[in-house]
Amino acid sequence: MNVDEHIQRARELLARNQPEMAESALSDAIDAAVAAEDIVLLTRARFALGELLFHQERDAEAVPYLQAVVRTERVDGAVDVEVKASARMLRQIRGIEPRE
């Protein structure tokens, strides 16, 4: 499976209320992105896993993934949405913004 397929599988598993399996699929997505040497896909996979952990209130586990996303710099703006959303979640974890 490629990165997008792993991410899609994770979404389907979440829809079926199987968060543990979704987390595993997202870890597989990260591994696939590393193997493909694709920073955009890696950033999107890290974001998806960080977001999942954030929504499960597993903040300590989410922070490294969200920080990795925020540190990603792309001139073409390919991951701007993920970077901004990760920064917002980090501010919420730190209590700077109210948690939604």
Side-chain angles (χ1 to χ4, degrees):
M1 265 193 241
N2 68 33
V3 176
D4 290 327
E5 290 169 334
H6 285 296
I7 292 173
Q8 182 58 38
R9 177 163 158 58
R11 288 183 184 131
E12 292 166 2
L13 289 164
L14 281 173
R16 290 186 287 190
N17 199 27
Q18 296 180 323
E20 296 85 12
M21 296 294 294
E23 183 178 342
S24 177
L26 292 173
S27 291
D28 291 342
I30 290 171
D31 292 342
V34 168
E37 298 180 4
D38 188 319
I39 191 68
V40 172
L41 292 177
L42 178 58
T43 301
R44 289 183 179 150
R46 285 175 170 164
F47 172 76
L49 183 52
E51 182 180 42
L52 171 68
L53 296 169
F54 172 81
H55 288 300
Q56 291 179 338
E57 297 185 7
R58 294 166 57 191
D59 295 348
E61 294 171 79
V63 166
Y65 295 104
L66 298 174
Q67 286 176 333
V69 171
V70 169
R71 286 192 302 264
T72 303
E73 294 183 29
R74 293 284 303 192
V75 176
D76 64 3
V79 292
D80 282 357
V81 170
E82 291 85 354
V83 169
K84 289 175 184 175
S86 293
R88 187 183 72 252
M89 284 185 268
L90 286 168
R91 287 191 302 272
Q92 291 172 357
I93 288 170
R94 294 178 180 132
I96 297 169
E97 288 184 15
R99 199 158 187 148
E100 296 176 359

